Amino acid sequence: MDEFALIRRHFAALTGAPREVVLGVGDDCALLQPPPGEQLAVTSDTLIAGRHFPDQTAPADIGWKALAVNLSDLAAMGARPLAFTLALTLPQADDAWLAAFAQGLRACAEPSGAALIGGDTTRGPLSITITAIGALPPGGALLRAGAGIGDLVCVTGTLGDAALALQQWQAGRVPADDAEHWLRARLDRPTPRHAAGLALRGLARAAIDVSDGLLGDLGHICSASGAGAELDLSALPMSEAFRRRAPAAQRAGLQLTGGDDYELCVCVPPARLDDARRACGPLPLTPVGRIVAEAGVRLRDAHGAIVEVSSHAYRHF
Ligand code: ADP
Ligand code: MG
């Protein structure tokens, strides 16, 4: 199968397109008509086999995750997804692999409303780069730089699930029951929080998606905002599966420094917390700390005492 047949078969009409897409796959460029008066939000992420996902990851999960991590960035900005491009480097044109990859990609794209509008296909070690484009009203973007002293630091969903699943995978454990399958899906098929990102526009003052671990990602909000933060260790939201399966001594480390959760971390003035929670609908939004003047991120234990982030308990993460 040549490159063009491959593109036609698997990617030419992956999903329906929103009206902003004037021309999709097939010409030298795609054409977009930006929504009147809106700004475009643009983001790219690359996934490389063996680095960003284990080599044996199912192709459908790779397709899902390659798009999900980009939609997560749009969500963290409060942008509505419109379209994306796909730059695919493949060791060989394996039709079954491509069909499964495209199916996972479509499953992630469809609920977001984003259409595949073009890309590039080359031969080489497996790597996937997606560029996603969203739209939002001028001044509406949720920036990292907007956090104010006294804001509540809140996170959507639960933390640590993907890191626990990765740890189990690396230990050679095959998911054996519902809890382990659920954890593994949190790693392989993260749910981009675009509905929450959109709904939090005008309520949150700063936002980031948690891709590298809460400590590091909240640290980015703090440096961009010229502030610091205190986190309450006992407030970090845990899933039922995580509570049952994560060894107690490892929980805090997994939740604070484990990557791949793709939840949103947002800073909300206390007076807006109820509105922000309502805006997230059924998705839990949990206050886990607050923005303070002193730079850096500090942790407080259940008794309110400061815990050293670099203390022995967390160092191996
Ligand atoms: P060009 O040589 O002009 O860059 P290509 O031969 O690379 O064009 O691609 C032909 C068409 O197929 C273009 O519209 C391009 O955007 C699209 N395309 C190429 N690879 C992909 C892909 N992996 N997914 C979606 N569209 C693709
Ligand atoms: Mg090309």
Side-chain angles (χ1 to χ4, degrees), residues 3-4 6-7 11-12 24-30 86-88 116-121:
E3 176 193 337
F4 303 105
L6 179 161
I7 295 163
F11 301 120
V25 170
D27 213 313
D28 295 313
C29 290
L86 169 66
L88 195 53
L116 176 59
I117 56 166
D120 199 23
T121 307

Side-chain angles (χ1 to χ4, degrees), residues 223-277:
S223 354
S225 301
E230 288 183 1
L231 287 175
D232 300 321
L233 270 176
S234 56
L236 301 177
M238 255 184 259
S239 66
E240 201 41 50
F242 182 91
R243 194 188 306 277
R244 293 217 304 272
R245 295 308 159 90
Q250 292 182 16
R251 283 181 190 162
L254 289 167
Q255 291 201 286
L256 289 166
T257 60
D260 281 330
D261 285 317
Y262 297 100
E263 295 294 345
L264 297 181
C265 171
V266 297
C267 298
V268 179
R272 311 304 297 274
L273 178 64
D274 288 345
D275 289 340
R277 283 181 134 161

